[in-house]
Amino acid sequence: MKPRRCKHSTDLDLFLEFPATKTHLAELLGVARSTLCTWENLAFWRIESFRNAYPKAFDGSIDRESPLSPYQAWVLSRVGRLMAQLRRGERVKGYILKNQQDFSKYRYQQAFQQLQIKKGA
């Protein structure tokens, strides 16, 4: 894995208000697109709500080429933080499997609402 362009790019959760391409999201998180794709693969196979957030193609398959939703961007920022802390993909996989609730859509919505409250204060 290449070093990050910005060492602290995943220190905080990322909240977007629009869908983002993987290239754009990689720029925001200060990593190579290939690194982001590795994180996306980790999340795709281990977090059902992340996988279900993709739109479906006409044939019913998942369209993994579509832009990522704000929820998916938030999940990937969390996966990136775990990669920085745990340093190994296997450790991150284990953490995700044991702590599914940390990546749930419900947890995302709670965190987003807290952000909105702080903005309004």
Side-chain angles (χ1 to χ4, degrees):
M1 222 164 51
K2 292 181 183 178
R4 294 176 185 212
R5 286 178 233 141
C6 179
K7 195 174 175 182
H8 302 288
S9 60
T10 56
D11 286 356
L12 301 172
D13 288 344
L14 178 66
F15 293 96
L16 299 178
E17 295 181 357
F18 52 87
T21 64
K22 290 176 187 168
T23 301
H24 181 70
L25 189 55
E27 289 173 13
L28 289 174
L29 295 173
V31 297
R33 187 180 188 282
S34 59
T35 299
L36 185 82
C37 288
T38 299
W39 298 352
E40 184 264 345
N41 223 18
L42 279 169
F44 182 83
W45 294 108
R46 284 158 194 85
I47 305 168
E48 186 177 355
S49 56
F50 181 88
R51 188 172 42 253
N52 291 338
Y54 279 100
K56 304 290 185 262
F58 290 113
D59 63 0
S61 64
I62 295 172
D63 181 8
R64 288 183 75 178
E65 299 300 316
S66 67
L68 299 167
S69 71
Y71 162 70
Q72 289 170 312
W74 174 81
V75 167
L76 292 179
S77 71
R78 291 185 142 217
V79 170
R81 183 168 43 248
L82 284 172
M83 287 299 287
Q85 293 169 346
L86 301 177
R87 302 275 188 219
R88 299 254 188 262
E90 290 304 314
R91 292 179 191 149
V92 173
K93 289 175 190 176
Y95 180 90
I96 290 171
L97 291 173
K98 289 178 185 172
N99 299 283
Q100 290 283 312
Q101 72 281 359
D102 288 354
F103 304 93
S104 70
K105 227 168 186 175
Y106 176 74
R107 182 68 56 94
Y108 164 73
Q109 291 166 341
Q110 281 184 316
F112 188 72
Q113 286 174 350
Q114 287 297 319
L115 181 68
Q116 296 303 323
I117 291 169
K118 288 179 183 176
K119 269 182 159 179

